[in-house]
Structures are given as C-alpha cells and as structure tokens.
Amino acid sequence: AKKAPANAIIAPNFKFEDMGIGGLDTEFSDIFRRAFASRVFPPGLVEKLGIQHVKGILLHGPPGTGKTLIARQIGKMLNAREPKVVNGPEVLSKYVGQSEENIRKLFEDAEKEYKQKGEESGLHIIIFDELDAIFKQRGSTNSGTGVGDTVVNQILSKMDGVEQLNNILIIGMTNRKDMIDEALLRPGRLEVHMEISLPDEQGRYQILNIHTAKMRTNNVMDVDVDLYELASLTKNFSGAEIGGLIKSATSFAFNRHVKVGTMAGISDDVENLKVNRNDFISAMD
Ligand code: ATP
C-alpha cells in the first residue's frame, strides 16, 4: 500500500485559535470543506474514489479583509512549503521581458520535487496577488507589448499541467472578480471561489481583540477602552483599517507622553504608555 503523502497531514502543531484571523470562521471552514478536505483524507481514499484534489482557489473581496492572511494560514495548516507570492502588476511591469522565465521558475521547485518524490512530495503553494492585473489584459486591445497575453497563456498552460502534479495549490486573490478572465475560473483551474467581505460587528470585535491582545496582556491599554464600543463605531472598517486604527491610537498615546517628557525620557514613556479611549476616538477622525 502507498504511504500517505506528506502533504496530506494537517500540521501537528496547528491550532485554529492561533491563526490570528478575526471574523472569518465560516469562510475558513467553508474553504476547507470545499477545497482541502480531500488533502487530509485517509491514505488511498482519494485514489479509491477516483477524485482529484482541488488545484486552485480564488479569494475575492474588498482590500484589507484578510485574503493574504487566509492564504498563508492555509499553507501552514496543510504543512506546505513557504508559499511563493507573485504580485500581479509586478509580473507585467517590473519583469517585462523576463516574465515568462519567472513564471517557469515559480513552478520549477514543485515540479522537481514531484519528479523525485511523487506523492511523498511536500505541498507547494503559489499565491497570485492582484490577479486581475494579469488576467484582465487577455485579448484586450491595450495590452501594448502583448506581454500580458503571453504571460496569461503561459500561466494557464502551467495550471493545466498541474493536473499531473498533486503537490501544487494555486491561490489567486483579487478585489475585482468581475474583471477576471472566465477561462481562469473553470474547473481544474481556480475552481473554488470564496468571497471575503468586510467584517460585521462581531468580526470587528474579534479583530480588535486579536490586534490588542499583547497590549492588554502587557497592561498598556486603559480599562476604559471598550472593544465592543469600538466594534460598533468602526462600521465598514476592513481588518487592515482596524489594524491601522490601533497603530494610530498607540501613536496618539505615545505622543501625549513625549510632549511632556524629554528625549531622554522616551524609554520611560514607553514604560508608562497607556492607550485610552480618547486615543482611539482621535485616531478615528
Ligand atoms: P488586499 O486585497 O489589499 O491584498 P487582503 O485582503 O489580502 O488585502 P491582508 O493583507 O490579509 O488583506 O490584510 C492586511 C492586514 O490587515 C493583515 O496583515 C492584518 O494585520 C489585518 N487584517 C485584515 N483582515 C484581518 C482579519 N480578518 N483578522 C485579523 N487581522 C486582519
């Protein structure tokens, strides 16, 4: 009997609570159920059922909602190699002329390892951020040099080749799903689509909680900071904006101390730093 592939194991020390993702429990378990369950099936079951692993997923939604966070955590959970991250606009601008070579290189490590180890190979994740920058170009008259089309065709043919490689997972991300070439979203390519929306109030509370955890353990945050109140005040904030809010509030608090202190006193000020309710409210303006 075949041994279980290395990639079919949830990392033993992986804990859902440690992911640092707020408000996306449903989305995460949904993605897992639709796209990754087969990767953790008992050995042999995938072949027995004659099914194929999902090779690509699309995460779409507004900026700063945690798409990159999810993509990276999926990698950790599935015990994958460090993901390769490609930024859409970069592929088309910075690397013009070298794009095809770069795309070839992206898949190279995974191909080599699969050739050597077959099903024993580790899982390789390739993340395409701002995917629309590459895939909206296809067939459009303003693709200029035509670099866009060549790159798109090459990525598509690589993806189709992935059929034979059980050890690659492609994660595409975009704020504009509507702009993406349908050809990319077909079965066998980025076939599972998941919308990651702005967090609701409970999600915002969880995100605030995650981002202030250290400050609260180190007693830097005043008791008058009410995370439930902040969650209700931050309607339409993305996770990234909530992170930014906490940083600004900390700066406000820091500045308050620096104003009355001297440069020499800065380290004391850090010791005395207390972020209070008003710092958050000021930061929100
Ligand atoms: P973009 O579409 O702009 O690439 P994104 O959806 O990939 O954005 P991330 O890069 O994952 O967003 O989020 C940026 C930062 O915002 C994260 O590193 C994290 O600090 C914070 N953040 C966003 N969403 C969440 C969340 N749901 N829980 C905790 N932190 C979050």
Side-chain angles (χ1 to χ4, degrees):
K2 263 189 176 170
K3 264 173 70 188
N7 65 35
I9 298 164
I10 289 199
N13 47 4
F14 184 86
K15 289 206 199 87
F16 286 89
E17 318 72 274
D18 295 344
M19 285 198 303
I21 303 177
L24 294 171
D25 300 6
T26 318
E27 286 84 347
F28 197 86
S29 53
D30 235 33
I31 297 172
F32 185 79
R33 190 173 48 75
R34 288 169 55 199
F36 306 119
S38 69
R39 296 211 178 252
V40 295
F41 277 173
L45 187 58
V46 171
E47 284 158 42
K48 207 166 169 184
L49 299 179
I51 53 168
Q52 289 210 317
H53 293 310
V54 168
K55 304 285 167 61
I57 66 171
L58 178 77
L59 302 177
H60 60 102
T65 43
K67 296 184 287 298
T68 312
L69 275 183
I70 288 194
R72 289 193 173 274
Q73 292 297 344
I74 285 170
K76 282 194 190 147
M77 185 178 75
L78 295 176
N79 221 358
R81 303 272 183 263
E82 181 62 24
K84 294 201 162 103
V85 185
V86 200
N87 182 267
E90 250 175 37
V91 169
L92 292 187
S93 60
K94 194 162 151 196
Y95 301 123
V96 172
Q98 300 177 35
S99 306
E100 288 158 72
E101 175 64 7
N102 285 320
I103 304 275
R104 194 185 59 74
K105 275 194 189 143
L106 267 182
F107 289 81
E108 195 174 43
D109 288 345
E111 288 166 352
K112 268 191 193 151
E113 196 180 338
Y114 200 77
K115 236 179 230 159
Q116 278 175 3
K117 301 188 188 164
E119 293 297 304
E120 307 277 317
S121 164
L123 180 65
H124 295 249
I125 293 186
I126 304 171
I127 298 177
F128 283 97
D129 197 6
E130 298 185 62
L131 194 66
D132 44 282
I134 310 176
F135 281 87
K136 73 173 172 201
Q137 302 262 348
R138 201 181 203 212
S140 72
T141 46
N142 58 2
S143 59
T145 56
V147 180
D149 281 2
T150 327
V151 169
V152 166
N153 288 331
Q154 197 193 0
I155 296 176
L156 289 179
S157 87
K158 279 287 182 195
M159 273 184 197
D160 295 339
V162 165
E163 274 308 285
Q164 285 84 51
L165 301 172
N166 248 341
N167 66 336
I168 297 186
L169 173 71
I170 296 162
I171 304 180
M173 299 190 295
T174 183
N175 309 137
R176 295 295 308 268
K177 186 185 177 209
D178 58 308
M179 305 235 297
I180 302 228
D181 192 327
E182 286 289 324
L184 182 66
L185 307 178
R186 284 206 287 263
R189 293 175 176 170
L190 303 187
E191 56 191 306
V192 171
H193 310 158
M194 174 61 60
E195 181 171 8
I196 309 294
S197 332
L198 288 174
D200 59 11
E201 190 165 329
Q202 198 197 342
R204 295 195 297 276
Y205 172 77
Q206 286 176 14
I207 298 170
L208 283 159
N209 213 25
I210 289 167
H211 285 256
T212 56
K214 280 211 175 121
M215 292 164 74
R216 284 179 292 109
T217 350
N218 292 315
N219 215 12
V220 166
M221 214 162 63
D222 272 353
V223 284
D224 65 353
V225 180
D226 179 350
L227 297 188
Y228 289 105
E229 183 199 9
L230 288 174
S232 120
L233 290 173
T234 45
K235 195 162 185 271
N236 292 329
F237 274 48
S238 66
E241 285 165 340
I242 290 173
L245 169 70
I246 291 157
K247 277 185 212 138
S248 309
T250 317
S251 302
F252 269 96
F254 184 74
N255 283 331
R256 241 184 321 112
H257 290 278
V258 173
K259 263 184 213 151
V260 292
T262 60
M263 278 313 276
I266 280 186
S267 57
D268 289 341
D269 287 324
V270 174
E271 283 296 302
N272 296 328
L273 178 79
K274 277 274 186 190
V275 184
N276 66 38
R277 182 183 179 280
N278 290 336
D279 297 320
F280 278 98
I281 304 303
S282 312
M284 232 180 278
D285 292 337

